[in-house]
Amino acid sequence: MGASNISSYLDSLHPELLCLYYSQVDLYPNDGAHYCNYTWNGVSCWPLIIENTTASVSCMAELNGLRYDTSKNATRYCAAGGGWQKSNYSQCQLVEASSDKLSVHNAKADHLYIIFIIYWLGYGLSLITLSVSLFLFLFFRKLRCLRNIIHCNLIFTFILADVTWIITNTLVASFNNQVFCRLLIIFSNYFQVANFFWMLIEGIHIYTRTVKAFSSEHARIKWYCALGWGVPCVIMIPWITVKLVFDTNKYVHFSLSLSIFSLLIV
């Protein structure tokens, strides 16, 4: 394939795929300095750049059906240590748009806002009801049996998953600490995986109550805890290792795909 054909092929790629391609072929200079790698933020591809400098790219041609002036530039600062900060699109100006397109854009914005409110109400209501349920199980001693201990652990994973979602959507938009962002996603994935395994334990317990009704509950709770909290840790270790080595995005898009993988395992 000639150079012109390669160039034509690259131009035909979606900007996100093109950004991923450059992140694999345009590697860090081996000079001991820290760099921000190629990163796609959903709108623009931010290039490889050395720390403590500001990257500049052309404004997007179109977003949500509205056209923008590509002669203007968006900027993004690469902080010390090689971590991208929040993108600045304040200089990107709308090209003349019809009232119909503006009304469509406003309708989409209102729609997304309503969805976001529904999410918040759902997670908030879920957190309240789960907390009340956990309190009742723990407060009344007569409810303390193996079956309800399993219920408590399952409820607790739901609570932790809800809390991490709320923290993510409250703080991350204005938080630029790379370590904090990655820890947040790691814990979020861990709680989701643990949630799947405690669902599995619920099924295992029903089976053992039916087939082996007289087995030791004390011995079983140890195995259940090892399966519900320990196995997710074992799954997380290789996932974290792979993400730290190969994932070029340093913030919240550290990836949430692990939960799908764990669901397939369970």
Side-chain angles (χ1 to χ4, degrees):
M1 184 180 290
S4 60
N5 292 333
I6 294 176
S7 178
S8 299
Y9 172 72
L10 292 177
D11 290 339
S12 67
L13 291 176
H14 186 276
E16 183 176 2
L17 293 177
L18 189 60
C19 193
L20 178 61
Y21 167 77
Y22 284 129
S23 70
Q24 301 301 317
V25 299
D26 193 1
L27 303 178
Y28 294 117
N30 189 18
D31 56 7
H34 292 96
Y35 288 82
C36 290
N37 201 1
Y38 278 93
T39 301
W40 174 258
N41 67 348
V43 178
S44 307
C45 180
W46 296 96
L48 180 71
I49 189 174
I50 195 169
E51 61 183 338
N52 297 319
T53 54
T54 300
S56 179
V57 298
S58 298
C59 292
M60 54 279 177
E62 185 177 351
L63 181 65
N64 294 330
L66 299 176
R67 294 173 56 232
Y68 287 82
D69 185 0
T70 56
S71 65
K72 305 294 183 180
N73 291 327
T75 58
R76 195 175 188 184
Y77 185 70
C78 177
W84 285 113
Q85 293 194 347
K86 194 173 182 179
S87 307
N88 180 8
Y89 288 94
S90 60
Q91 298 303 314
C92 296
Q93 302 296 323
L94 280 170
V95 178
E96 291 186 7
S98 65
S99 59
D100 291 339
K101 286 188 175 182
L102 287 175
S103 62
V104 170
H105 173 72
N106 292 334
K108 287 183 177 179
D110 292 340
H111 178 68
L112 291 174
Y113 179 73
I114 292 173
I115 292 176
F116 186 71
I117 293 299
I118 292 173
Y119 264 95
W120 268 99
L121 291 175
Y123 274 96
L125 182 61
S126 173
L127 184 60
I128 293 172
T129 54
L130 288 168
S131 299
V132 172
S133 299
L134 184 62
F135 172 78
L136 293 176
F137 276 124
L138 296 177
F139 183 77
F140 295 103
R141 291 181 176 273
K142 292 183 179 180
L143 296 177
R144 296 182 185 178
C145 61
L146 179 58
R147 181 189 62 206
N148 289 337
I149 290 174
I150 296 173
H151 292 340
C152 287
N153 280 274
L154 179 60
I155 291 171
F156 193 47
T157 61
F158 277 116
I159 290 175
L160 293 174
D162 285 358
V163 170
T164 52
W165 185 92
I166 292 172
I167 293 175
T168 300
N169 287 272
T170 302
L171 299 180
V172 167
S174 59
F175 204 86
N176 294 314
N177 188 295
Q178 179 184 155
V179 176
F180 174 82
C181 289
R182 288 193 163 184
L183 286 175
L184 190 60
I185 296 305
I186 288 171
F187 281 115
S188 177
N189 276 305
Y190 173 73
F191 298 143
Q192 290 184 49
V193 177
N195 182 258
F196 293 140
F197 274 93
W198 279 105
M199 290 182 192
L200 173 64
I201 291 168
E202 291 272 6
I204 293 174
H205 180 65
I206 293 174
Y207 172 78
T208 56
R209 290 285 293 177
T210 304
V211 178
K212 298 181 179 180
F214 300 101
S215 61
S216 172
E217 292 192 353
H218 181 70
R220 271 188 286 162
I221 189 60
K222 292 182 178 179
W223 286 107
Y224 289 162
C225 288
L227 177 61
W229 297 109
V231 174
C233 288
V234 175
I235 294 175
M236 290 295 296
I237 292 172
W239 180 82
I240 293 170
T241 303
V242 171
K243 284 296 178 182
L244 289 175
V245 173
F246 296 105
D247 200 330
T248 60
N249 201 326
K250 297 179 180 293
Y251 287 91
V252 171
H253 301 288
F254 188 50
S255 179
L256 293 174
S257 59
L258 178 66
S259 57
I260 299 175
F261 170 70
S262 61
L263 182 58
L264 292 176
I265 293 177
V266 175

